[in-house]
Amino acid sequence: MSSELNIESPARINVADASKHAGELVEIRGWLYNLRKSGKIVFPIIRDGSGLMQCVAVKSNLPEPVFETLKNLTQESSFTIKGTVRAEPRAIGGYELDVADAQLVQRVSEEHPYPITPKDHGIEFLMDHRHLWLRSRRQHAAIRVRHEIVKGIRDYFDSHGFVLVDTPIFTPAACEGSTTLFEVDYFEDEKVYLTQSGQLYNEANAMAFGKVYCFGPTFRAEKSKTRRHLTEFWMVEPEIAFADLEEIKRVAEELILYLISRVLENRKEELKVLERDIAKLEAVHAPFPRMSYDEAVKLLQSRGSEIQWGGDFGNADETLLAQGFESPVIVDRYPAEIKAFYFQPDEQRPELALGVDIIAPDGYGEIVGGGQRIHDLALLEQRLVEHNLPREAFEWYLDIRRFGSVPHGGFGLGVERFVAWVCNLEHVRETIPYPRMLYRTRP
Ligand code: 4AD
Ligand code: MG
């Protein structure tokens, strides 16, 4: 319902920009977040996607229908509102709107109210309503931190001489082991797989462009039901020609530090909503602790882990390993046995792969995996045989070792695990708008 008030069309603003409009008459469009009533005054809090703002509607200052409209708003009803912005240090966001007019767009009916209320719903209910849950404050904050991190990743690589070269999602071969492949029916009885990693293509691209990155969704048919696993997740993967393991570690460390500084600079409000202990993020500093796999195993054993040399670190080991460190821990030179086929062996100890994992503090686990690749043709051919990989699907990959082969390497950083750590979230499912997990493919 619109009023008969003659208010000239004021500037349409986002709540986030309220500070630039103090004292001005403005219009805001959004949804009802909350409504408090106190006799002849109602206080609708509007949510416009950029922020929250309390509006103050005084009965005696408004035409009857406008006041009634506001008074009867239900949660998540959509409306537009006009009024004067006023600084109010005690209000959410620091500004309030003195209401002059309002118009309903859609009222949510009492018979079918908005399903998410302040009461405790349980995670399955909330995940079933993910399309609505994204409107809630914590979810909203986490997704905005994700956006900052994604933008930060692109800015970092774009400003350090990397070229974005996208890699395909339908692939003919495995990159990270054939047990976690999603198979897709292609045409004419052909089978393809959803990509586990753009790395193999990245290696070819690095020989064309020197320094490249790809950034997109990757897929793993992992039957893991942990707080760190998704079946569809986003990974950024840089790949650098002529790089050795040390260079790869240096770039990964620099990227992580840059991303944390970006979030601290631009997303403090969101971190506050998430009740993130900011001091812990501020404490992350270079150089990160560095240790070999050998040393990591000894450290774990001294801390009570059952791990034996040759074993892979489980979630509990990763948590234990990172304990007591303020920054992520860089672990390199793993037994080749437990790593993918493409790793360059250590020159002194060929049983070790020149691979590196970076383990985040506080139980967030491995956020980066990468290393130096095999550049010798004969050795790579031998590895394909040892790993039972179909030679014909890798012929093109072998070409990289035939035509000007050079040492090279890269890594993958998993966006969701990184965001989970930065936001201190219990589970990676809250770091991606629509998570895909072992038992969830909806909504
Ligand atoms: O260690 P991963 O498997 O490494 C690779 O895929 C390499 N080919 C990357 C490269 O060198 N270009 O995966 C890299 C990162 C992990 O450290 C983790 O952050 C994330 O991807 N990741 C997952 N995130 C969520 N759910 C899963 N199931 C994940 N699997 C890996
Ligand atoms: Mg890994």
Side-chain angles (χ1 to χ4, degrees):
M1 229 184 266
S2 176
S3 80
E4 305 303 310
L5 259 189
N6 183 21
I7 300 168
E8 81 280 23
S9 8
R12 250 178 213 153
I13 69 158
N14 293 322
V15 167
D17 297 329
S19 66
K20 296 178 208 148
H21 297 275
E24 291 174 25
L25 184 70
V26 301
E27 180 183 30
I28 296 172
R29 304 186 286 183
W31 299 263
L32 186 77
Y33 180 77
N34 191 26
L35 184 66
R36 204 158 51 78
K37 301 174 202 182
S38 155
K40 309 246 173 281
I41 310 182
V42 295
F43 302 93
I45 295 181
I46 192 167
R47 176 186 75 69
D48 78 338
S50 78
L52 299 174
M53 191 173 194
Q54 174 157 285
C55 308
V56 182
V58 181
K59 190 173 166 118
S60 56
N61 294 346
L62 292 169
E64 182 74 15
V66 171
F67 187 77
E68 284 304 304
T69 295
L70 291 173
K71 196 175 134 194
N72 291 312
L73 283 175
T74 44
Q75 194 188 350
E76 289 303 320
S77 287
S78 44
F79 63 107
T80 66
I81 197 158
K82 293 175 187 171
T84 308
V85 177
R86 173 171 45 77
E88 172 50 76
R90 289 165 303 175
I92 200 164
Y95 291 85
E96 280 186 342
L97 194 76
D98 288 323
V99 180
D101 194 11
Q103 190 161 11
L104 187 66
V105 180
Q106 191 220 11
R107 184 165 182 278
V108 176
S109 84
E110 271 98 356
E111 288 77 65
H112 197 125
Y114 187 69
I116 302 177
T117 60
K119 77 166 192 187
D120 211 355
H121 285 290
I123 189 67
E124 288 309 313
F125 179 89
L126 291 169
M127 274 293 160
D128 286 341
H129 293 85
R130 185 66 175 162
H131 52 294
L132 301 176
W133 194 24
L134 288 172
R135 303 180 187 192
S136 300
R137 272 190 102 194
R138 284 180 58 88
Q139 301 310 308
H140 190 261
I143 297 303
R144 285 175 59 107
V145 172
R146 178 192 172 98
H147 179 191
E148 188 68 34
I149 286 169
V150 168
K151 182 77 164 61
I153 286 170
R154 294 194 185 281
D155 288 346
Y156 175 84
F157 288 115
D158 294 349
S159 62
H160 284 80
F162 287 76
V163 180
L164 173 72
V165 187
D166 293 314
T167 53
I169 285 177
F170 288 145
T171 58
C175 177
E176 296 297 323
S178 47
T179 56
T180 61
L181 283 171
F182 277 113
E183 201 175 278
V184 177
D185 283 328
Y186 210 60
F187 306 109
E188 320 275 323
D189 297 331
E190 199 187 334
K191 296 275 186 219
V192 294
Y193 309 102
L194 297 182
T195 185
Q196 298 166 309
S197 157
Q199 181 196 319
L200 306 186
Y201 297 93
N202 252 354
E203 292 183 48
N205 299 340
M207 301 308 144
F209 298 91
K211 301 207 287 184
V212 297
Y213 71 103
C214 64
F215 193 5
T218 49
F219 306 85
R220 304 275 169 102
E222 250 168 329
K223 294 210 162 138
S224 308
K225 218 188 146 205
T226 77
R227 66 192 194 94
R228 303 170 181 178
H229 286 90
L230 296 166
T231 52
E232 175 181 324
F233 62 96
W234 282 64
M235 181 161 46
V236 63
E237 299 179 84
E239 190 73 25
I240 309 172
F242 295 100
D244 62 5
L245 180 62
E246 290 311 305
E247 169 76 352
I248 296 310
K249 294 193 305 200
R250 188 192 64 73
V251 173
E253 180 186 66
E254 197 177 272
L255 171 68
I256 291 170
L257 287 166
Y258 174 72
L259 295 178
I260 289 182
S261 71
R262 273 282 292 253
V263 174
L264 285 172
E265 203 176 303
N266 298 330
R267 290 290 173 261
K268 272 235 168 80
E269 281 308 311
E270 285 76 6
L271 293 177
K272 239 183 261 165
V273 169
L274 293 161
E275 295 166 284
R276 177 52 157 130
D277 180 354
I278 288 173
K280 279 190 156 185
L281 286 180
E282 284 167 344
V284 176
H285 62 277
F288 292 175
R290 284 164 160 77
M291 64 181 83
S292 65
Y293 170 86
D294 288 358
E295 292 165 332
V297 169
K298 283 195 198 117
L299 180 61
L300 283 171
Q301 288 171 341
S302 78
R303 291 177 171 184
S305 165
E306 306 273 273
I307 186 133
Q308 296 300 314
W309 197 97
D312 210 350
F313 302 145
N315 290 346
D317 288 319
E318 288 180 353
T319 303
L320 196 59
L321 191 62
Q323 245 167 45
F325 295 110
E326 289 177 325
S327 303
V329 181
I330 303 184
V331 183
D332 69 2
R333 296 183 160 77
Y334 286 76
E337 282 277 308
I338 57 169
K339 286 284 171 189
F341 73 96
Y342 50 69
F343 284 106
Q344 174 72 12
D346 185 275
E347 218 174 339
Q348 265 78 54
R349 289 173 60 194
E351 74 277 16
L352 300 183
L354 294 183
V356 57
D357 283 355
I358 302 185
I359 320 285
D362 298 328
Y364 287 96
E366 182 201 318
I367 46 172
V368 163
Q372 197 179 319
R373 327 302 187 191
I374 292 173
H375 56 272
D376 180 70
L377 177 63
L379 179 59
L380 188 57
E381 287 174 321
Q382 185 191 322
R383 285 285 195 274
L384 290 181
V385 175
E386 289 166 4
H387 286 255
N388 269 321
L389 291 164
R391 163 96 186 210
E392 72 284 359
F394 288 89
E395 238 4 278
W396 68 271
Y397 184 64
L398 293 170
D399 269 352
I400 302 165
R401 279 75 185 171
R402 291 188 182 108
F403 304 108
S405 189
V406 299
H408 63 284
F411 65 85
L413 176 142
V415 168
E416 290 76 16
R417 286 198 196 165
F418 192 82
V419 175
W421 169 45
V422 169
C423 294
N424 197 35
L425 292 171
E426 183 55 35
H427 197 296
V428 287
R429 65 187 162 213
E430 292 182 35
T431 66
I432 184 164
Y434 299 96
R436 297 294 175 247
M437 297 180 287
L438 184 52
Y439 297 116
R440 178 162 299 278
T441 51
R442 276 152 229 253

